[in-house]
Amino acid sequence: MKKIYPSLLSADFLNLKEEIIALETAGVDGLHFDVMDGQYVPNISIGLPILDAVRSATKLPIDVHLMISNPENYIETFAEHGADMISVHVEATPHIHRALQMIKNANKKAGVVINPGTPVETIMPVLEIIDYVLVMTVNPGFSGQTFIEACASKVKLLRDLKQSLNLQFDIEVDGGINDRTIDLCAENGATMFVTGSYFFNHDDYKKVTQHLKG
Ligand code: DX5
Ligand code: ZN
């Protein structure tokens, strides 16, 4: 079963409420919320006031992807503002274990993220405490980029590790997901799919959701 998380960065911000209602009606599994700080990634996106607005408009799970340096400084704040799931990059802090524990202590689902250039081995020590791994399939910072095919083998490696170590985490992919790359990632073990430009380029959200779920 594929879970679809449209990335709100590609939504129409002038009509955000209508967009969220349309996403709910379409049957998506949650909303992906990309936070960028202009330091960890070369772009600045959306933050707490928009999260408050989105939270007030929906009961759908909100999946907050923190592309910020030293995310532990903001985990409690994003939890208080309504995130249901929070993911942090292993490359963005010297204290990844502490950051993930902070998410768990806030009773939110904890995700660890790896960039295309980061090997799976770097997150081995935290696989036991997380709820999901987010495998970036583009370099973070922008929507609309091309899927990096080599990342699919990292998804497979994680699926194999999960089975051999008898762990429970889910595998999410983010970046360049469309109706072809979603199948490639699903075959390799991903179950959660973030989609920005591909999804919002369609007018009929229900149809594209069903198409992606296959
Ligand atoms: C990239 C973001 C993604 C992005 C996805 O840094 O983390 O969530 O918005 O957009 P597409 O699907 O267009 O690659
Ligand atoms: Zn993202």
Side-chain angles (χ1 to χ4, degrees):
M1 181 63 179
K2 297 177 186 139
K3 290 190 171 176
I4 306 296
Y5 292 80
S7 164
L8 289 180
L9 262 196
S10 295
D12 176 0
F13 279 88
L14 282 180
N15 293 296
L16 198 49
K17 191 167 187 177
E18 289 79 2
E19 291 276 68
I20 290 168
I21 292 167
L23 292 167
E24 282 183 345
T25 310
V28 306
D29 296 279
L31 304 176
H32 186 78
F33 192 93
D34 286 306
V35 181
M36 306 179 184
D37 67 351
Q39 185 181 0
Y40 178 63
V41 289
N43 199 1
I44 296 173
S45 60
I46 48 178
L48 297 167
I50 306 283
L51 180 58
D52 290 340
V54 173
R55 180 72 290 166
S56 72
T58 186
K59 290 197 161 49
L60 279 173
I62 303 177
D63 172 27
V64 172
H65 176 192
L66 292 180
M67 286 164 276
I68 64 176
S69 300
N70 300 312
E72 54 274 22
N73 294 341
Y74 287 95
I75 285 167
E76 280 161 6
T77 308
F78 276 94
E80 283 162 11
H81 283 253
D84 298 289
M85 307 155 61
I86 301 177
S87 62
V88 288
H89 278 256
V90 67
E91 310 88 355
T93 171
H95 303 294
I96 189 65
H97 192 281
R98 177 185 290 152
L100 292 163
Q101 276 190 322
M102 288 175 76
I103 303 171
K104 302 292 285 181
N105 289 343
N107 287 319
K108 308 299 177 185
K109 290 206 165 161
V112 65
V113 194
I114 50 173
N115 280 333
T118 303
V120 167
E121 285 71 17
T122 58
I123 57 168
M124 284 282 289
V126 297
L127 289 180
E128 269 183 27
I129 62 165
I130 52 158
D131 298 294
Y132 61 108
V133 177
L134 169 46
V135 176
M136 289 306 298
T137 44
V138 298
N139 287 296
F142 303 91
S143 47
Q145 301 182 83
T146 304
F147 181 86
I148 299 170
E149 303 276 334
C151 297
S153 61
K154 291 205 280 183
V155 175
K156 184 173 185 306
L157 179 56
L158 278 162
R159 193 245 318 260
D160 293 346
L161 273 172
K162 178 180 159 174
Q163 282 168 354
S164 62
L165 300 172
N166 202 16
L167 295 172
Q168 298 300 329
F169 60 83
D170 292 310
I171 304 173
E172 180 175 46
V173 286
D174 181 9
I177 297 299
N178 56 36
D179 59 351
R180 181 187 70 84
T181 56
I182 194 171
D183 287 337
L184 177 65
C185 294
E187 282 159 19
N188 283 289
T191 55
M192 297 161 62
F193 303 88
V194 178
T195 166
S197 49
Y198 175 83
F199 187 98
F200 285 96
N201 273 337
H202 292 78
D203 291 330
D204 188 334
Y205 295 166
K206 190 167 197 166
K207 211 166 156 186
V208 68
T209 302
Q210 284 168 353
H211 179 57
L212 285 172
K213 280 180 179 269

